[in-house]
Amino acid sequence: MNLTIIGSGYVGLTTGACFANVGHHVMCVDNNPDKIAKLLNGEIPIYEPGLEEVVKNTVGAGRLRFTTSTEEGVDFGDVIFIAVPTPPQPDGSVDLRFIEKVAREISEVIKSYKVIVDKSTVPVKTGEKVADTIKRYQPEVAFDVVSNPEFLREGCAVDDLMHPDRIVIGTNSDRALALMQKVYEPFLAPILVTDINSAELIKHAANSFLALKISYINAVSQICEASGADVEKVAEGIGADKRIGRHFLNAGIGYGGSCFPKDIAAFIAISDQLGCPFTLLKEVQAINVNMMQRFLKTIREALWVLDDKKIAVWGLAFKNNTDDIRSSVAIELVQALLKEGAKVTVYDPKGMENAKQLSWAGQITFAESPMGCVDGAEALIVATEWPEFASQDFVEVKRRMLAPLIFDGRNLLDTTTMKDLGFRYTGIGRGVA
Ligand code: UGA
């Protein structure tokens, strides 16, 4: 099939590349000429395992191409996916101006029947507005609007796209459904067909539920700390119940990234607008913020004064396997330490280049390795769950540090091992060893 993706950001590019990978012909559109020039030049603007290879292979096979022209894109595709940003507004609701703009642009150039698919994460009822907008500006040409939310995780997006748990197709049109089923046929995944509003809700409700699981275990971790229990064992025990599951029960300093914080705020906002305040999710947010504050308090209590102390931070990305530092708790933590006068040295396997672009990057020292980062440090903080941090030589880490203090914000290290090596080790919900 010929497919068009409007918006070649994280979701658009990976989705387009994976569609091309299964044999479709894909045109990725973006209004940023620099981005398109880079992509035409074979450069991938983000770090995502496996993506570069898929893009290279599919471009080489002539199935993936790039353009800045919406008209070219709309002419090309039988199905047009919208994957433009949906940033948050100060009150948490979603700024839908990019979606609206693309809807208008499509209405200006559409010449024959197309399926217009909302891939971006949007509040319920957005599909209806997209359809109204296109119809208002272009009443002549037939089209259908479909909601088809994405469930890919950064760091394993290619795998998530190639082997999805489920495909959600929200549509009221048999014609559109037939085309969408053809798009997804090669993926051999279960397809759930719903109305447009339900599909939009599935996305917000899924992300909110995952965040709720994280905040739940984080709240439990506080009770573990107060009672001397071990949150890792508790998570294992409750996660073994298949109805609950072990995934997303890793206690830590909170969730971050470009999805959870934004989507939960958006779900709260749309629920408010619909007259059904979702107060449970407000608590999920509050617990998340509180985890970072508690962690800082623990560090402060151990070090007394942070001013002028050299602190090593492992991790800047919002999670492992990505270079993405947007809404990263690790970044917030570094900022908080700097505010208290600490001299912060950081290391992250992939997130350093993005962090170097921050306006305040000059205040931190970027180390070239995890070992280089801990030289002379009075404390080591683990802020992102990169597995390679756990496999460091901790005898050498201890030798290099000024004082053997570790604060593990991701419960990545083994309590007993750290204790046996002579560290004062503090995790989340595991007590102090
Ligand atoms: C999330 C969802 O998992 C995807 O299904 C969804 O498609 C995506 O948002 C999106 O809306 O586009 P992502 O933001 O890439 O994916 O990252 P996650 O793997 O979900 O992690 C989010 C945050 O939660 C990270 O900061 C991570 O460190 C934290 N986390 C995760 C925990 O603190 N504990 C856990 O047990 C799991």
Side-chain angles (χ1 to χ4, degrees):
M1 291 178 86
N2 283 358
L3 307 177
T4 295
I5 318 275
I6 300 184
S8 303
Y10 199 90
V11 170
L13 179 61
T14 13
T15 306
C18 289
F19 281 157
N21 200 32
V22 297
H24 294 305
H25 288 266
V26 180
M27 186 175 284
C28 286
V29 182
D30 203 286
N31 63 3
N32 179 341
D34 291 344
K35 187 184 277 180
I36 292 298
K38 276 192 180 148
L39 286 165
L40 287 170
N41 207 20
E43 290 171 50
I44 309 294
I46 48 169
Y47 169 76
E48 183 60 40
L51 180 61
E52 194 168 347
E53 206 189 330
V54 178
V55 171
K56 213 172 121 199
N57 291 345
T58 49
V59 168
R63 291 200 305 273
L64 180 62
R65 64 199 84 177
F66 304 99
T67 179
T68 52
S69 161
T70 304
E71 181 162 15
E72 199 186 338
V74 174
D75 283 348
F76 177 83
D78 306 313
V79 182
I80 319 288
F81 290 83
I82 305 177
V84 294
T86 48
Q89 312 210 69
D91 68 352
S93 63
V94 183
D95 182 348
L96 291 166
R97 81 180 70 177
F98 301 117
I99 298 270
E100 196 265 355
K101 189 163 170 271
V102 170
R104 270 188 291 126
E105 283 171 3
I106 292 173
S107 73
E108 283 161 20
V109 294
I110 186 170
K111 299 180 188 91
S112 57
Y113 175 81
K114 304 280 172 184
V115 176
I116 319 284
V117 183
D118 213 333
K119 205 36 143 171
S120 306
T121 300
V122 291
V124 61
K125 294 175 113 43
T126 301
E128 291 175 359
K129 294 197 182 90
V130 168
D132 285 350
T133 304
I134 300 176
K135 211 172 285 166
R136 191 171 338 125
Y137 293 102
Q138 175 49 277
E140 309 297 328
V141 183
F143 68 92
D144 280 305
V145 171
V146 169
S147 167
N148 171 222
E150 54 82 16
F151 301 103
L152 58 91
R153 289 163 298 170
E154 292 188 22
C156 36
V158 173
D159 197 48
D160 282 351
L161 273 160
M162 296 305 299
H163 310 284
D165 288 344
R166 80 300 205 188
I167 305 288
V168 174
I169 300 176
T171 178
N172 308 322
S173 148
D174 290 342
R175 188 177 181 186
L177 177 60
L179 281 166
M180 291 300 288
Q181 280 168 329
K182 219 171 137 199
V183 170
Y184 282 108
E185 210 173 66
F187 292 90
L188 306 171
I191 293 181
L192 175 67
V193 181
T194 72
D195 58 282
I196 300 180
N197 289 341
S198 301
E200 289 169 337
L201 260 179
I202 285 170
K203 171 67 196 218
H204 267 160
N207 270 6
S208 299
F209 189 78
L210 291 169
L212 175 114
K213 266 188 109 173
I214 298 171
S215 279
Y216 182 84
I217 198 67
N218 281 340
V220 170
S221 80
Q222 299 182 14
I223 302 166
C224 289
E225 271 169 31
S227 62
D230 181 347
V231 73
E232 295 295 310
K233 294 285 172 217
V234 176
E236 203 183 316
I238 58 178
D241 184 329
K242 286 192 188 69
R243 294 168 303 173
I244 298 174
R246 177 63 182 81
H247 296 295
F248 280 70
L249 286 180
N250 296 322
I253 45 176
Y255 60 76
S258 64
C259 301
F260 282 179
K262 173 176 88 95
D263 289 353
I264 285 129
F267 203 22
I268 291 172
I270 188 73
S271 310
D272 278 344
Q273 279 170 32
L274 293 168
C276 324
F278 209 150
T279 46
L280 175 66
L281 291 184
K282 292 191 178 162
E283 195 53 37
V284 168
Q285 288 178 316
I287 293 167
N288 201 51
V289 172
N290 188 245
M291 291 311 290
M292 237 283 277
Q293 296 309 327
R294 280 175 64 93
F295 191 60
L296 267 174
K297 191 164 164 262
T298 309
I299 297 169
R300 242 184 256 122
E301 273 167 10
L303 294 180
W304 189 17
V305 172
L306 297 187
D307 189 46
D308 218 29
K309 293 215 164 95
K310 181 176 170 187
I311 298 184
V313 178
W314 282 354
L316 293 168
F318 83 96
K319 65 173 192 179
N320 62 312
N321 272 342
T322 179
D323 64 352
D324 196 344
I325 57 163
R326 288 176 293 170
S327 298
S328 166
V329 183
I331 293 284
E332 283 171 37
L333 185 70
V334 169
Q335 280 183 294
L337 295 169
L338 288 173
K339 218 168 144 197
E340 303 205 19
K343 289 193 280 189
V344 183
T345 304
V346 298
Y347 174 77
D348 187 282
K350 295 286 175 204
M352 309 256 272
E353 286 315 308
N354 282 335
K356 283 177 188 168
Q357 312 306 318
L358 294 167
S359 60
W360 46 272
Q363 294 175 54
I364 39 182
T365 306
F366 291 90
E368 294 201 338
S369 65
M371 273 311 165
C373 185
V374 300
D375 272 333
E378 299 201 31
L380 165 62
I381 296 174
V382 181
T384 307
E385 59 272 40
W386 286 99
E388 68 175 82
F389 292 154
S391 57
Q392 296 300 310
D393 174 357
F394 280 90
V395 174
E396 178 63 7
V397 169
K398 187 170 171 238
R399 199 189 62 73
R400 287 176 180 241
M401 289 179 73
L402 199 65
L405 255 68
I406 297 181
F407 301 94
D408 184 355
R410 295 292 172 189
N411 284 354
L412 196 70
L413 312 178
D414 181 61
T415 312
T416 316
T417 312
M418 292 304 124
K419 191 181 166 192
D420 291 349
L421 286 171
F423 284 100
R424 185 190 146 103
Y425 171 85
T426 315
I428 303 285
R430 303 166 121 184
V432 181

